[in-house]
Amino acid sequence: MKKSDPMPEAKRPKGRRPPSGQMSSISSGQAVAKPGAPETPQQDYGAEVSEHTEVRKGVPLPLGPHESEGGVNFALFSRHASHVRLELFDHPADATAAKVIDLDPARNRTGDVWHVWVEGIRSGQLYAYRVDGPYQPEEGHRFNFNKLLLDPCATAISRLPDWDFGPARGYDPSVPEKDLTFSKLDDAGAMPKCVFTHDHFDWHDDRPPRHPWSKTVIYEMHVRGFTIHPSTGVEHPGTYRGLTEKISYLKELGVTAVQLMPVHEFNESLKAGINSQNRQPLGNYWGYDPVAFFAPKGSYSSSESAGQQKLEFKEMVCALHRAGIEVILDVVFNHTAEGNELGPTLSFRGIDNAIFYTLEENKRYYKDYTGTGNTINANHPVVRDYILAALRYWVVEMHIDGFRFDLASVLGRDGTGKLLANAPVLKQIAEDPVLREVKRIAEAWDAAGAYEVGIFSQRGWAEWNGRYRDDIRRFWRGDEGMLGSLASRICGSADIYAQSDKCPKCSINFVTCHDGFTLNDLVSYREKHNGANGESNRDGTNQNFSENFGAEGETVDARIESLRRRQIKNFLLTLLISRGVPMLLGGDEFRRTQGGNNNAYCQDNETSWYDWNCLEQHHEIYRFARGMMAFRRAHPVLSKEEFYTDADIRWFSSRGSLPNWSDPHEKRLASLIQEGERPGLYLMFNAGTEAVDFELPPVPQGTRWHLAADTAGETPQDWFADGEEPHLHNSQTYPLASHSSAILVVRAS
């Protein structure tokens, strides 16, 4: 018998507590306690009846690897498997396991969970599974014992420079015979391995900042892209530690939360084509193709050591919390990297395909509501529990403050694809005792036509307000008929959210995000320029509501550049005076450009990286963005978590009369906002091509209008710090340039 094999049933000690407190024979060779002898101490008895092999039966819960009594318990769900093997490896590239443990279905299975306890496992141990069962695609089963599989609950994945396997890792009769041959090959040497990591970490009394929505300003960013550019000047570029080195910058800017693009482990080597400009291969830069929902991205660690990414991620979170900055994760629970029926078998597909995915009537094929080839069956009870467990892990173990759910409408679909009125998984997330207080943000649409902005699930869910993005872009572009939409978006979008008994804090307001133009490119390009993506410029949206103001892309024309700066300031000002929760795309505060690419998902290069030279070059924009965040903090009336009443805000035309909301040609608007018992702010917007004098409302005796911001002004006349605003010499009118906006505040004379 191999040393690692479980002890045979016949040789395993058995025991029971006999009557009268006396000990009976436990196994051959053991003495029988005489009548009246002292009872054996409990710990001795426990040792006698316990398993003593280095590989033991284990327990079914919790799923995944967990330390227990000097070893690790491994537990894996698979309802339809007939055989499960746990393999332990010494090195990431090993093709042969150092130890193989076959799980006995009679001994190592409880219900649908396969489990085993292994002695002496230490942090950094590499492991993976093989799972066998029926290969019946028409019934939804795709077991393939040749394929090494990642544990869905692994908390770290080993580093592998290139693990792009393509369709050859799949196994389907519809692919050519040569691909079937490849799919039958053992691929252990080319697969990354799971890394066991212990949970010991000194958080130094870490406390989540718990900012209310009314004080939240979100900064969406890419961990690698934020610091990988040579201009960054950090010691650990492109990593969690690199981000940590930039915390003082984020603090100074004034954001209260970072929203990290996907950090769940994904395959960045996944080939996305060839860059048509430099003929270099394109990869998976954004990371919206997860393979392990508990594991932080390994390549974002500064160290090659196994499991280091988990520690560095925790260090980053701890440091951000010390600076008062929350951490929100962009999570993708709607699909995985395994793709359609021709995609690779990495984890879920080989563990229990029929449970984890939403399948067509012919179960060989996958329902695709995500545009990626497959859809997670999120409302199946088993999958639902898995999603809840992953979210709890990131909150409890990794101290995450919130989540933004990619294509969240998918989570509201049942196994047939029908949208549910009160989807179980969404309700559970909202009511879960661990998750109830964290921030929950939904991208309330999917790739199959669902659009639920304003009506997504329960009141506790915030939503990306796509209507805000489009309407604010269209107003400042000068589109006709946008006056009413501008007012609604500034006031928190009651026309969208009030019908569902939601309030402004449910509206995540944004003008730009990772998906689309940057703010610089929004005012520099009329058309998308995605040729480098290798898809002949067919990818990416065509509906950008952008304008170049006379030249496509970069220009030395001073007039055009001046107008572009003004427009960028208009967007920043509007975003930061609107009720709701503002979200800024990282780098927009210093005019980061992607050269007109509005779908840079595959561009892990200077197209997407944050060029920190721009911070000095466009410091005027940075100063204005920072200043407007400070202005928002100084005037809490702008960020209250309820809608304005008629007594709180009044609207005017530039002439001081009521606006003509029905005039499609009107592009000027003003609003008077009360601060307490007196008028406090006067906002003016001019999206027209001509300057205009705005008539000003009267102010209480002993006070005057002071200028807080004017986007047409050159630095430092474009924004003034709180208490330093100059008073107006003319209290009757204010001249507002074309394509500009301004804010006045009431101050004592």
Side-chain angles (χ1 to χ4, degrees):
M1 181 180 70
K2 294 181 181 179
K3 187 176 181 181
S4 61
D5 289 339
M7 185 175 289
E9 193 72 29
K11 295 184 180 180
R12 196 177 306 118
K14 300 177 182 289
R16 61 181 178 85
R17 175 77 66 181
S20 311
Q22 298 177 352
M23 298 299 296
S24 64
S25 175
I26 299 299
S27 62
S28 58
Q30 292 181 326
V32 179
K34 298 179 180 179
E39 183 176 342
T40 303
Q42 179 65 34
Q43 63 267 26
D44 294 342
Y45 174 68
E48 288 174 349
V49 299
S50 297
E51 291 183 281
H52 294 283
T53 55
E54 63 182 38
V55 178
R56 305 174 194 168
K57 178 179 179 180
V59 294
L61 294 176
L63 294 177
H66 290 273
E67 286 181 289
S68 172
E69 300 177 352
V72 171
N73 188 82
F74 295 88
L76 179 76
F77 164 86
S78 183
R79 177 170 298 171
H80 298 101
S82 60
H83 180 201
V84 172
R85 174 181 290 172
L86 173 67
E87 298 191 358
L88 306 179
F89 294 85
D90 290 336
H91 303 287
D94 284 355
T96 303
K99 190 169 190 175
V100 172
I101 304 171
D102 287 297
L103 278 59
D104 180 356
R107 170 178 167 78
N108 300 104
R109 181 173 184 172
T110 302
D112 296 332
V113 181
W114 302 73
H115 46 81
V116 65
W117 180 93
V118 185
E119 185 179 47
I121 299 294
R122 297 180 179 178
S123 186
Q125 175 65 58
L126 303 175
Y127 74 97
Y129 288 100
R130 296 183 190 272
V131 181
D132 206 2
Y135 181 76
Q136 299 169 333
E138 66 282 355
E139 297 298 324
H141 303 309
R142 292 178 173 272
F143 293 98
N144 186 345
F145 203 66
N146 297 312
K147 302 306 168 192
L148 204 65
L149 302 174
L150 299 175
D151 180 359
C153 296
T155 58
I157 304 297
S158 66
R159 300 280 290 273
L160 194 66
D162 187 353
W163 49 301
D164 178 32
F165 305 103
R169 280 188 52 81
Y171 184 84
D172 193 287
S174 61
V175 301
E177 183 61 34
K178 63 179 181 179
D179 288 334
L180 291 180
T181 301
F182 285 128
S183 71
K184 294 176 182 177
L185 297 176
D186 189 305
D187 64 352
M191 265 295 285
K193 289 23 175 222
C194 306
V195 184
F196 170 71
T197 58
H198 64 64
D199 293 335
H200 309 309
F201 181 78
D202 186 356
W203 282 98
H204 301 287
D205 296 322
D206 175 65
R207 294 288 185 273
R210 289 283 189 266
H211 296 302
W213 283 116
S214 60
K215 294 184 179 180
T216 298
V217 178
I218 299 172
Y219 187 86
E220 188 193 28
M221 63 185 299
H222 189 285
V223 171
R224 174 174 165 81
F226 189 57
T227 63
I228 192 63
H229 194 277
S231 64
T232 304
V234 298
E235 185 178 352
H236 304 287
T239 67
Y240 304 121
R241 286 183 171 172
L243 192 160
T244 301
E245 294 177 65
K246 283 288 187 181
I247 288 177
S248 60
Y249 169 82
L250 297 169
K251 180 97 173 158
E252 180 181 329
L253 179 60
V255 299
T256 69
V258 291
Q259 182 172 296
L260 307 182
M261 289 175 65
V263 297
H264 288 167
E265 188 63 65
F266 63 90
N267 176 12
E268 69 264 37
S269 303
L270 186 66
K271 298 300 184 293
I274 298 295
N275 187 319
S276 62
Q277 297 176 349
N278 59 22
R279 308 311 300 169
Q280 295 298 310
L282 299 170
N284 179 12
Y285 174 66
W286 281 358
Y288 287 92
D289 278 303
V291 297
F293 293 105
F294 289 71
K297 186 79 187 84
S299 62
Y300 294 168
S301 166
S302 66
S303 171
E304 293 290 336
S305 61
Q308 183 75 10
Q309 61 265 43
K310 183 175 173 181
L311 298 176
E312 292 189 15
F313 185 92
K314 289 181 175 182
E315 290 172 347
M316 176 193 71
V317 172
C318 195
L320 284 162
H321 283 179
R322 283 198 300 271
I325 298 174
E326 294 180 301
V327 182
I328 299 171
L329 297 190
D330 194 338
V331 292
V332 186
F333 288 111
N334 57 76
H335 75 280
T336 76
E338 293 183 304
N340 63 15
E341 69 277 2
L342 303 182
T345 298
L346 303 170
S347 180
F348 300 96
R349 172 172 291 161
I351 291 170
D352 211 320
N353 184 71
I355 297 291
F356 283 106
Y357 292 112
T358 302
L359 305 177
E360 296 284 4
E361 185 175 348
N362 179 348
K363 295 182 179 180
R364 180 186 303 277
Y365 303 106
Y366 297 79
K367 290 184 181 293
D368 183 8
Y369 302 114
T370 65
T372 63
N374 66 50
T375 303
I376 287 178
N377 191 10
N379 282 292
H380 187 287
V382 169
V383 185
R384 188 166 70 234
D385 286 349
Y386 171 74
I387 292 172
L388 267 291
L391 294 172
R392 292 187 196 112
Y393 174 82
W394 284 98
V395 171
V396 174
E397 180 59 32
M398 309 297 274
H399 288 210
I400 290 303
D401 304 286
F403 304 94
R404 179 265 186 187
F405 292 80
D406 180 68
L407 297 183
S409 289
V410 171
L411 302 181
R413 294 183 183 272
D414 65 13
T416 69
K418 178 183 176 182
L419 282 168
L420 301 172
N422 195 12
V425 68
L426 299 177
K427 185 175 181 180
Q428 277 193 258
I429 291 171
E431 297 295 336
D432 185 84
V434 171
L435 305 175
R436 192 172 65 85
E437 294 298 323
V438 304
K439 289 180 166 66
R440 299 181 301 277
I441 303 170
E443 184 183 36
W445 55 82
D446 64 24
Y451 191 81
E452 300 179 288
V453 174
I455 58 173
F456 184 85
S457 191
Q458 300 180 345
R459 195 171 185 268
W461 284 84
E463 304 165 16
W464 267 24
N465 190 345
R467 286 276 304 278
Y468 183 96
R469 172 199 60 204
D470 295 346
D471 289 347
I472 299 303
R473 287 185 180 192
R474 292 185 64 196
F475 173 80
W476 282 117
R477 189 174 66 168
D479 288 11
E480 294 185 347
M482 297 305 299
L483 220 58
S485 296
L486 172 69
S488 294
R489 302 304 150 250
I490 287 174
C491 289
S493 298
D495 57 328
I496 297 175
Y497 293 103
Q499 60 180 320
S500 299
D501 195 31
K502 294 188 174 186
C503 56
K505 70 178 182 179
C506 295
S507 176
I508 305 298
N509 299 331
F510 65 103
V511 177
T512 56
C513 65
H514 70 273
D515 193 359
F517 280 146
T518 65
L519 193 52
N520 176 81
D521 293 356
L522 184 66
V523 301
S524 304
Y525 294 89
R526 189 172 292 166
E527 307 292 340
K528 65 183 182 183
H529 295 265
N530 298 356
N533 294 354
E535 300 180 48
S536 302
N537 209 37
R538 293 188 302 270
D539 63 306
T541 183
N542 295 317
Q543 197 173 43
N544 297 292
F545 305 118
S546 61
E547 181 52 69
N548 63 24
F549 300 101
E552 188 74 351
E554 294 185 11
T555 181
V556 295
D557 188 308
R559 182 192 62 82
I560 295 175
E561 267 297 286
S562 176
L563 184 50
R564 288 177 178 177
R565 286 195 301 272
R566 192 181 307 176
Q567 285 289 85
I568 290 173
K569 293 178 186 178
N570 286 333
F571 284 122
L572 292 170
L573 183 148
T574 307
L575 177 67
L576 289 160
I577 58 87
S578 297
R579 280 200 178 173
V581 182
M583 183 184 78
L584 183 72
L585 174 64
D588 276 354
E589 74 277 15
F590 52 71
R591 294 188 65 176
R592 181 174 71 90
T593 179
Q594 293 179 168
N597 192 323
N598 75 349
N599 189 35
Y601 72 99
C602 54
Q603 299 291 335
D604 186 6
N605 49 52
E606 294 198 3
T607 296
S608 298
W609 299 344
Y610 295 46
D611 184 348
W612 290 87
N613 293 312
C614 295
L615 180 59
E616 180 178 356
Q617 182 182 355
H618 300 294
H619 193 267
E620 176 179 350
I621 299 299
Y622 167 78
R623 177 183 178 275
F624 189 83
R626 185 184 64 184
M628 286 308 305
M629 291 184 197
F631 183 83
R632 183 179 180 89
R633 291 194 301 273
H635 297 274
V637 66
L638 299 172
S639 56
K640 285 187 175 180
E641 295 183 5
E642 61 265 2
F643 297 115
Y644 286 106
T645 66
D646 291 340
D648 297 328
I649 189 168
R650 288 184 288 161
W651 296 96
F652 300 94
S653 70
S654 60
R655 298 175 297 279
S657 59
L658 292 177
N660 185 354
W661 300 107
S662 61
D663 183 356
H665 305 295
E666 183 57 69
K667 299 176 183 179
R668 302 176 180 94
L669 187 64
S671 65
L672 178 65
I673 299 175
Q674 295 288 126
E675 284 191 298
E677 298 298 320
R678 66 179 188 179
L681 305 176
Y682 198 61
L683 281 58
M684 296 167 284
F685 307 92
N686 180 11
T689 57
E690 302 293 334
V692 65
D693 288 341
F694 274 73
E695 294 193 19
L696 302 180
V699 294
Q701 188 173 2
T703 64
R704 302 176 72 170
W705 286 117
H706 291 238
L707 179 63
D710 188 333
T711 60
E714 298 293 334
T715 298
Q717 305 301 313
D718 54 348
W719 171 80
F720 299 91
D722 187 50
E724 299 179 6
E725 305 94 338
H727 71 265
L728 301 185
H729 296 289
N730 181 354
S731 61
Q732 305 299 313
T733 61
Y734 184 83
L736 191 62
S738 65
H739 303 292
S740 64
S741 51
I743 303 174
L744 306 181
V745 298
V746 173
R747 292 278 186 261
S749 299

